[in-house]
Every structure is written in C-alpha cells, then in structure tokens.
Amino acid sequence: MKRHEALNPLSHHHHHTLTQALELQRAGTEKSQKGYTELLRDLIEFWEKDGNDHFRDEEEVLIPLYLEHADSIEMDLVKEILYQHAQIRSSIQHLREDRQTSYKEMNELGELLNNHVRLEERQLFPLIEQAVPEKYLYQANGRFHRDSHSGF
C-alpha cells in the first residue's frame, strides 16, 4: 500500500513486525529453522529495540493526532487497536517470564501480530491520512523512533 511519506517509518516498523510474526507463526513446525530459545531471544530483542517504542509512537503521537483532527472518530477501531497493544504486551511478558510456555503460544502471538499490523495498515492509517493535515503528519514523523533494522 502506498503510504503518506510521513508514515513510512511506522510502515517500515510494520514490515519488520510481519517478519517477526511469520517466524512466530512457524515456531515448532518444519518451516521453522530456529529453536524455542532462539525464537524467544529474537522476540525479546525485537520488542526491546523496536516493538515497544513503536507502540508508544502510535499511542502517544499518532492516535492522539488522529483524535484531535478527525471529524468523525472510528472509536471502535481505536479501542480495538489499543486492546490489541495490551494483548501483545501481555503475551510477550508471559513468554519472557514463563519458560513453560509452548510453541502454540508463540504461534498465537505471531497470528496476533500479523492481524494487528494488517488492521493498522488497512484501516487506521488510511483514516489518519485522510483526517490529519499534512503538516501535522510531518511533525509527527519527527517524533517517531528509528528502528534498529533500517534506521527509518
């Protein structure tokens, strides 16, 4: 999907999230080339370097910007996205703390991450692009963290 260039950093983060999600979805199957410990280590690194900051960018910058400028707010969508953020955080925390978790829980987290990114890209971002004046999108861009993969 073509994005407003000010949202490109978040879309780049989403690309890396989808890569992480795919690895988690494949965890414990013949399609995975990583063991449980390596997958968990990669997940923790992804979360600490990029994932948590990305959620904060959305929660502290992007969504408030949308709420400020939208004439008609899709509140159910905003609530669903924030709820999914809480689910993802909870799942990651559980995987970090409980070494008795299973590949199934990794698979479920991968599915949640995949669905979450697609929801934001297909529904939230188009609403934001439509509602928020361009100058404010560019200002928001300057506040987004730069990810560890592309520096974007």
Side-chain angles (χ1 to χ4, degrees), residues 8-46:
N8 280 344
L10 297 178
S11 287
H12 277 266
H13 303 167
H14 283 164
H15 172 75
H16 298 127
T17 302
L18 289 173
T19 301
Q20 182 68 49
L22 183 60
E23 284 191 1
L24 291 169
Q25 287 172 303
R26 291 178 173 174
T29 70
E30 65 281 347
K31 294 180 182 178
S32 179
Q33 298 183 6
K34 295 181 179 181
Y36 187 87
T37 303
E38 186 178 3
L39 286 164
L40 184 59
R41 186 174 47 242
D42 288 351
L43 173 63
I44 292 168
E45 182 179 341
F46 158 79

Side-chain angles (χ1 to χ4, degrees), residues 28-127:
T29 70
E30 65 281 347
K31 294 180 182 178
S32 179
Q33 298 183 6
K34 295 181 179 181
Y36 187 87
T37 303
E38 186 178 3
L39 286 164
L40 184 59
R41 186 174 47 242
D42 288 351
L43 173 63
I44 292 168
E45 182 179 341
F46 158 79
W47 182 249
E48 289 178 351
K49 286 187 176 181
D50 297 315
N52 193 44
D53 286 336
H54 174 84
F55 276 16
R56 292 183 73 186
D57 288 344
E58 291 174 346
E59 294 165 359
E60 296 174 7
V61 178
L62 196 63
I63 291 173
L65 196 60
Y66 167 67
L67 296 176
E68 179 182 348
H69 292 281
D71 292 330
S72 176
I73 296 169
E74 297 289 334
M75 194 55 70
D76 287 341
L77 176 63
V78 172
K79 287 178 183 178
E80 179 62 24
I81 286 168
L82 294 174
Y83 175 72
Q84 287 179 4
H85 280 195
Q87 282 182 297
I88 292 165
R89 281 187 173 108
S90 176
S91 182
I92 291 170
Q93 190 65 31
H94 178 74
L95 286 166
R96 289 180 79 161
E97 291 178 355
D98 185 356
R99 301 301 173 160
Q100 301 300 317
T101 57
S102 65
Y103 283 122
K104 181 178 182 259
E105 291 173 84
M106 285 187 171
N107 302 147
E108 290 169 355
L109 175 58
E111 186 71 22
L112 181 58
L113 285 169
N114 179 65
N115 293 339
H116 179 72
V117 165
R118 301 211 185 278
L119 179 66
E120 289 183 349
E121 287 288 338
R122 293 176 181 162
Q123 294 184 38
L124 180 65
F125 283 15
L127 290 174

Side-chain angles (χ1 to χ4, degrees), residues 112-149:
L112 181 58
L113 285 169
N114 179 65
N115 293 339
H116 179 72
V117 165
R118 301 211 185 278
L119 179 66
E120 289 183 349
E121 287 288 338
R122 293 176 181 162
Q123 294 184 38
L124 180 65
F125 283 15
L127 290 174
I128 290 168
E129 290 168 330
Q130 184 178 32
V132 179
E134 191 170 60
K135 75 176 191 173
Y136 296 112
L137 286 175
Y138 283 117
Q139 288 173 0
N141 175 285
R143 296 175 59 196
F144 299 145
H145 89 282
R146 300 302 177 223
D147 75 19
S148 63
H149 293 279

